[in-house]
Amino acid sequence: MPVPWFLLSLALGRNPVVLSLERVVGPQDTARCSPGLSCHLWDGDVLCLPGSLASAPGPVLVPTRLQTELVLRCHEETDCDLCVRVAVHLAVHGYWGDPDKEEKFRRAADPELEEPRNVSLQAHVVLSFQAYPTAHCVLLEVQVPAALVQPGQSVGSVVFDCFEAALGAEVQIWSYTQPRYQKELNLTQQLPDCRGLEVQDNIQSCWALPWLNVSADGEDVRLVLDVSEEQHFGLSLYWNQAQGPIKPWWHSNLTGPQTITLNHTDLVPCLCIQVWPLEPDSVRTSICPFKEDPRAHRNLWRAARLQLLPPRGWRLDAPCSLPAEATLCWQALDGGPCLPLVPPLPRENVTVNVLEFPLLKGHPNVCVQVSTWEKIQLQECLWADSLGPLKDDMLLVETRGPQDNGSLCALEPSGCTPLLSRASTRAARLGEQLLQDVQSGQCLQLWDNDLGALWACPMDKYIHQRWVLVWLACLLLAAVLFLLLLLKMNHVKGWLRLLKEDIRAGAAARSRAALLLYSADDASFERLVGALASALCQLPLRVAVDLWSRRDLSAQGALAWFHAQRRQTLQEGGVVVLLFSPGAVALCREWLQDATSAPRAHGPHDAFTASLSCVLPDFLQGRAPGRYVGAYFDKLLPADAVPALFRSVPVFSLPSQLPDFLGTLQGPAAPRPRRLAERAEQVSRALQPALDSCFRPPAALGTGRGMGPEAGDRT
């Protein structure tokens, strides 16, 4: 027997839950007011014409809020219709134009003031009810005594019983006064269908409706239609898109009872089921039970496709609407990550519609990324088929200032490298040549506006220069090998072997990068972190820490800075160091206890809080070993305070475990134990003054951060 998976329910969103509805007896409409007010329902319908806005001559009554309630209007015990009760809340709006008259009006409204004046307000309130294909309006006359009239104050409400409507209909309700002194109020509500238990028992049109149960059958889904034998009914499966008409998928007229099996690969979030008896004017019931099914969402993204529409348009094709974000990116020939072009190009919100590329010309390396808040779902280089394979081109980003002073940088995995810089990247080495290529028109302009431009510059002509350097390196290596073969003495060969190991270890250590993440608990702890970072730079290691990158943090934001540093560190085979403190542990536990809540706000320099959105998923998904190392100062934090989740990577106590900590940071190229112990002693001595300052009274601590000469932009 299949296990029930989704039973038709009474979930009405914002609408009242139909479990026990009040019954209204009799066909006559009625109106009633809150205490102190008097009201009257005019007979017959009125014209549903709001008219134009009018200026209030003084204090007037206006509707301020609409409320609805579902009731049953019953002619007999089991012969009822669904009805919508509407409550209109009223308030006094406006003042007398003359201040003297306003004072007299205030005195009249307050019985304790002298010279009371009998000033009451009267309003004609219109309720307009529309449920396709009908419309119905009623007029309510409301009078408020002077004792309740206070400008800007609520005076009560008037309740109308009631507007009859069809099951499952979408109704719209408007309220305004005649004459109209403000914009009309409106409310839209989706009424229940025959799935309501009490509705099923009391509305005759629901008695013959087929009832549907959706259950799981292994990986597949089973639809069981509970109808009597020989009863004829219609069943339709369709895709209910947010934009445009519904897309029929499957339709059939059947005879009950029936069991239909759906393959799990056919499930998508917008797949809906509609059943109805094959009778004139029968009520149809529709449900969409797969909106929250994870399998349906996975199937939807598998079925989604990006399509190029010449000359510069593209479209996202999918069975259902896909609220997502689309960006353009640049895919380099070396197969690295697709580099987003935001900024300077804007992001686009996309569902299932046609968008245009904001480009002057197409290029095979320009790709489209479609992503949700979780991850990138689709990426396609739409021009690769029409313009050929990816090219070895360099993308240059031109930024123009307010006084026509522009700058050029090359988009690379490490960021946008200025052409005339001393960075050790291909773009920096060829900066002057690339600048000449742009000026001479050898680069293809892809985008241009007042803020900047994009250029694609071919790199083919520089390939031969690279091969020359490769051949020279090979010749040099061959000469060194030949020289080694000539040396036959054992002690010389041993000396060369040791020298080679030292050189290789030093080069590897210099090439190892470390990103230091910490929580800025207080100024003394920041000084301790700065002392540790400065000491690690002497090993040597390349250390990145936000203390030395304040200017970049202010320009990029903490989250963008951390993303760039983490990506560069891991791509270069480096390691991310999580430095635990009482504040860092509290932040981590806050995330782990409630992973669904949004992170608390952080300052512009708080890289640790910004990094948790990426660090925690790495640990939860098992990607942390080999990339992360933990550490804490044993005088500031007990060993068991570090959350268990982070113990999947080595966690060291400082300074007691400094040798092991330094050996892990330097990786396979770490020096011999004696040399490692000497370096650990140097780091320990450098840390001791900062550690002592953490335990001094506040008055004894200095006000400076004490970062030394390294307190600049080192990353």
Side-chain angles (χ1 to χ4, degrees), residues 660-688:
D660 295 336
F661 175 68
L662 299 181
T664 302
L665 288 186
Q666 293 180 282
R672 291 184 295 275
R674 180 181 300 176
R675 179 61 177 163
L676 196 61
E678 294 175 358
R679 292 180 176 179
E681 182 63 23
Q682 295 174 2
V683 174
S684 179
R685 287 197 300 269
L687 289 179
Q688 197 58 46

Short mmCIF file of all heavy atoms in Angstrom, two decimals, residues 660-688:
data_model
loop_
_atom_site.label_atom_id
_atom_site.label_comp_id
_atom_site.label_asym_id
_atom_site.label_seq_id
_atom_site.Cartn_x
_atom_site.Cartn_y
_atom_site.Cartn_z
N ASP A 660 54.29 22.22 15.02
CA ASP A 660 53.35 21.49 14.16
C ASP A 660 52.54 22.44 13.29
O ASP A 660 52.24 22.16 12.12
CB ASP A 660 52.41 20.64 15.02
CG ASP A 660 53.16 19.56 15.77
OD1 ASP A 660 54.26 19.17 15.32
OD2 ASP A 660 52.64 19.10 16.81
N PHE A 661 52.17 23.58 13.87
CA PHE A 661 51.38 24.56 13.12
C PHE A 661 52.18 25.10 11.93
O PHE A 661 51.68 25.16 10.80
CB PHE A 661 50.98 25.69 14.06
CG PHE A 661 50.27 26.84 13.40
CD1 PHE A 661 49.01 26.68 12.87
CD2 PHE A 661 50.86 28.09 13.31
CE1 PHE A 661 48.34 27.73 12.26
CE2 PHE A 661 50.22 29.14 12.70
CZ PHE A 661 48.96 28.97 12.18
N LEU A 662 53.45 25.45 12.16
CA LEU A 662 54.27 25.97 11.07
C LEU A 662 54.54 24.89 10.02
O LEU A 662 54.57 25.17 8.81
CB LEU A 662 55.59 26.52 11.62
CG LEU A 662 55.47 27.67 12.61
CD1 LEU A 662 56.86 28.14 13.06
CD2 LEU A 662 54.69 28.82 12.00
N GLY A 663 54.76 23.65 10.46
CA GLY A 663 54.98 22.57 9.50
C GLY A 663 53.77 22.35 8.61
O GLY A 663 53.91 22.11 7.40
N THR A 664 52.57 22.45 9.17
CA THR A 664 51.36 22.30 8.35
C THR A 664 51.21 23.44 7.37
O THR A 664 50.80 23.24 6.22
CB THR A 664 50.12 22.21 9.27
OG1 THR A 664 50.29 21.12 10.18
CG2 THR A 664 48.86 22.00 8.45
N LEU A 665 51.53 24.66 7.80
CA LEU A 665 51.41 25.81 6.90
C LEU A 665 52.36 25.68 5.71
O LEU A 665 52.00 26.00 4.57
CB LEU A 665 51.70 27.11 7.65
CG LEU A 665 50.64 27.59 8.64
CD1 LEU A 665 51.04 28.96 9.18
CD2 LEU A 665 49.27 27.67 8.00
N GLN A 666 53.58 25.22 5.96
CA GLN A 666 54.57 25.14 4.89
C GLN A 666 54.40 23.90 4.03
O GLN A 666 55.01 23.80 2.97
CB GLN A 666 55.98 25.19 5.48
CG GLN A 666 56.28 26.56 6.11
CD GLN A 666 57.68 26.62 6.69
OE1 GLN A 666 57.93 26.10 7.76
NE2 GLN A 666 58.59 27.24 5.96
N GLY A 667 53.58 22.94 4.47
CA GLY A 667 53.25 21.81 3.63
C GLY A 667 54.40 20.83 3.47
O GLY A 667 55.29 20.71 4.33
N PRO A 668 54.41 20.11 2.34
CA PRO A 668 55.46 19.09 2.13
C PRO A 668 56.87 19.65 2.12
O PRO A 668 57.82 18.91 2.36
CB PRO A 668 55.08 18.51 0.76
CG PRO A 668 53.65 18.86 0.57
CD PRO A 668 53.44 20.15 1.25
N ALA A 669 57.03 20.94 1.82
CA ALA A 669 58.37 21.51 1.73
C ALA A 669 58.85 22.09 3.07
O ALA A 669 59.76 22.91 3.10
CB ALA A 669 58.39 22.61 0.68
N ALA A 670 58.24 21.67 4.17
CA ALA A 670 58.66 22.17 5.48
C ALA A 670 60.10 21.75 5.78
O ALA A 670 60.54 20.67 5.38
CB ALA A 670 57.72 21.64 6.56
N PRO A 671 60.87 22.58 6.48
CA PRO A 671 62.28 22.24 6.78
C PRO A 671 62.38 21.09 7.78
O PRO A 671 61.38 20.62 8.33
CB PRO A 671 62.83 23.55 7.34
CG PRO A 671 61.64 24.27 7.88
CD PRO A 671 60.51 23.92 6.98
N ARG A 672 63.61 20.67 8.04
CA ARG A 672 63.85 19.57 8.97
C ARG A 672 63.43 19.98 10.39
O ARG A 672 63.33 21.18 10.69
CB ARG A 672 65.33 19.19 8.92
CG ARG A 672 65.73 18.53 7.60
CD ARG A 672 67.17 18.08 7.63
NE ARG A 672 68.08 19.21 7.73
CZ ARG A 672 68.51 19.91 6.68
NH1 ARG A 672 68.11 19.59 5.47
NH2 ARG A 672 69.34 20.92 6.84
N PRO A 673 63.19 19.01 11.28
CA PRO A 673 62.65 19.33 12.62
C PRO A 673 63.48 20.35 13.39
O PRO A 673 62.92 21.22 14.06
CB PRO A 673 62.65 17.97 13.32
CG PRO A 673 62.51 16.98 12.21
CD PRO A 673 63.26 17.56 11.05
N ARG A 674 64.81 20.27 13.29
CA ARG A 674 65.61 21.23 14.04
C ARG A 674 65.39 22.65 13.53
O ARG A 674 65.21 23.58 14.31
CB ARG A 674 67.10 20.86 13.92
CG ARG A 674 68.03 21.83 14.68
CD ARG A 674 69.48 21.43 14.51
NE ARG A 674 69.71 20.07 15.02
CZ ARG A 674 70.87 19.44 14.93
NH1 ARG A 674 71.91 20.05 14.35
NH2 ARG A 674 71.02 18.21 15.41
N ARG A 675 65.40 22.80 12.22
CA ARG A 675 65.17 24.13 11.64
C ARG A 675 63.75 24.62 11.94
O ARG A 675 63.54 25.80 12.22
CB ARG A 675 65.39 24.05 10.12
CG ARG A 675 65.16 25.35 9.38
CD ARG A 675 66.08 26.44 9.85
NE ARG A 675 65.90 27.66 9.09
CZ ARG A 675 66.32 28.86 9.47
NH1 ARG A 675 66.97 28.98 10.62
NH2 ARG A 675 66.13 29.91 8.71
N LEU A 676 62.80 23.69 11.94
CA LEU A 676 61.41 24.05 12.23
C LEU A 676 61.26 24.51 13.68
O LEU A 676 60.53 25.47 13.98
CB LEU A 676 60.50 22.85 11.96
CG LEU A 676 59.00 23.14 11.85
CD1 LEU A 676 58.73 24.09 10.70
CD2 LEU A 676 58.23 21.83 11.63
N ALA A 677 61.98 23.85 14.60
CA ALA A 677 61.92 24.27 16.01
C ALA A 677 62.50 25.66 16.19
O ALA A 677 62.01 26.46 17.00
CB ALA A 677 62.67 23.25 16.88
N GLU A 678 63.59 25.99 15.47
CA GLU A 678 64.18 27.33 15.56
C GLU A 678 63.19 28.38 15.08
O GLU A 678 63.05 29.45 15.70
CB GLU A 678 65.47 27.37 14.73
CG GLU A 678 66.58 26.49 15.27
CD GLU A 678 67.80 26.46 14.36
OE1 GLU A 678 67.73 27.13 13.29
OE2 GLU A 678 68.78 25.80 14.70
N ARG A 679 62.52 28.10 13.98
CA ARG A 679 61.54 29.08 13.47
C ARG A 679 60.37 29.23 14.44
O ARG A 679 59.84 30.33 14.63
CB ARG A 679 61.05 28.65 12.10
CG ARG A 679 62.13 28.73 11.02
CD ARG A 679 61.60 28.31 9.67
NE ARG A 679 62.62 28.48 8.63
CZ ARG A 679 62.43 28.17 7.36
NH1 ARG A 679 61.27 27.66 6.97
NH2 ARG A 679 63.39 28.36 6.47
N ALA A 680 59.94 28.13 15.06
CA ALA A 680 58.85 28.21 16.04
C ALA A 680 59.25 29.07 17.23
O ALA A 680 58.44 29.84 17.77
CB ALA A 680 58.45 26.81 16.48
N GLU A 681 60.53 28.96 17.67
CA GLU A 681 61.00 29.78 18.79
C GLU A 681 60.99 31.26 18.41
O GLU A 681 60.62 32.12 19.22
CB GLU A 681 62.41 29.32 19.18
CG GLU A 681 62.99 30.07 20.38
CD GLU A 681 62.20 29.84 21.64
OE1 GLU A 681 61.50 28.81 21.72
OE2 GLU A 681 62.26 30.70 22.53
N GLN A 682 61.37 31.58 17.16
CA GLN A 682 61.34 32.97 16.71
C GLN A 682 59.91 33.53 16.72
O GLN A 682 59.66 34.64 17.18
CB GLN A 682 61.92 33.06 15.29
CG GLN A 682 63.40 32.71 15.21
CD GLN A 682 63.90 32.68 13.79
OE1 GLN A 682 63.15 32.96 12.86
NE2 GLN A 682 65.17 32.31 13.60
N VAL A 683 58.97 32.73 16.22
CA VAL A 683 57.58 33.19 16.20
C VAL A 683 57.04 33.35 17.61
O VAL A 683 56.32 34.30 17.92
CB VAL A 683 56.71 32.20 15.38
CG1 VAL A 683 55.23 32.59 15.47
CG2 VAL A 683 57.16 32.17 13.93
N SER A 684 57.38 32.43 18.50
CA SER A 684 56.91 32.51 19.89
C SER A 684 57.40 33.78 20.56
O SER A 684 56.65 34.45 21.28
CB SER A 684 57.37 31.27 20.65
OG SER A 684 56.95 31.33 21.99
N ARG A 685 58.69 34.12 20.37
CA ARG A 685 59.22 35.36 20.96
C ARG A 685 58.51 36.59 20.39
O ARG A 685 58.26 37.55 21.11
CB ARG A 685 60.73 35.45 20.69
CG ARG A 685 61.55 34.47 21.53
CD ARG A 685 63.03 34.87 21.54
NE ARG A 685 63.60 34.89 20.20
CZ ARG A 685 64.20 33.87 19.62
NH1 ARG A 685 64.34 32.72 20.30
NH2 ARG A 685 64.70 33.96 18.40
N ALA A 686 58.18 36.55 19.09
CA ALA A 686 57.49 37.69 18.49
C ALA A 686 56.06 37.83 19.02
O ALA A 686 55.53 38.94 19.11
CB ALA A 686 57.47 37.55 16.97
N LEU A 687 55.46 36.71 19.41
CA LEU A 687 54.07 36.75 19.89
C LEU A 687 53.96 37.14 21.36
O LEU A 687 52.90 37.60 21.80
CB LEU A 687 53.40 35.39 19.69
CG LEU A 687 53.06 34.96 18.27
CD1 LEU A 687 52.43 33.58 18.29
CD2 LEU A 687 52.10 35.96 17.63
N GLN A 688 55.02 36.91 22.15
CA GLN A 688 54.90 37.04 23.59
C GLN A 688 54.46 38.43 24.04
O GLN A 688 53.57 38.55 24.90
CB GLN A 688 56.24 36.66 24.25
CG GLN A 688 56.10 36.37 25.75
CD GLN A 688 55.12 35.25 26.02
OE1 GLN A 688 55.15 34.22 25.36
NE2 GLN A 688 54.22 35.46 26.98
#
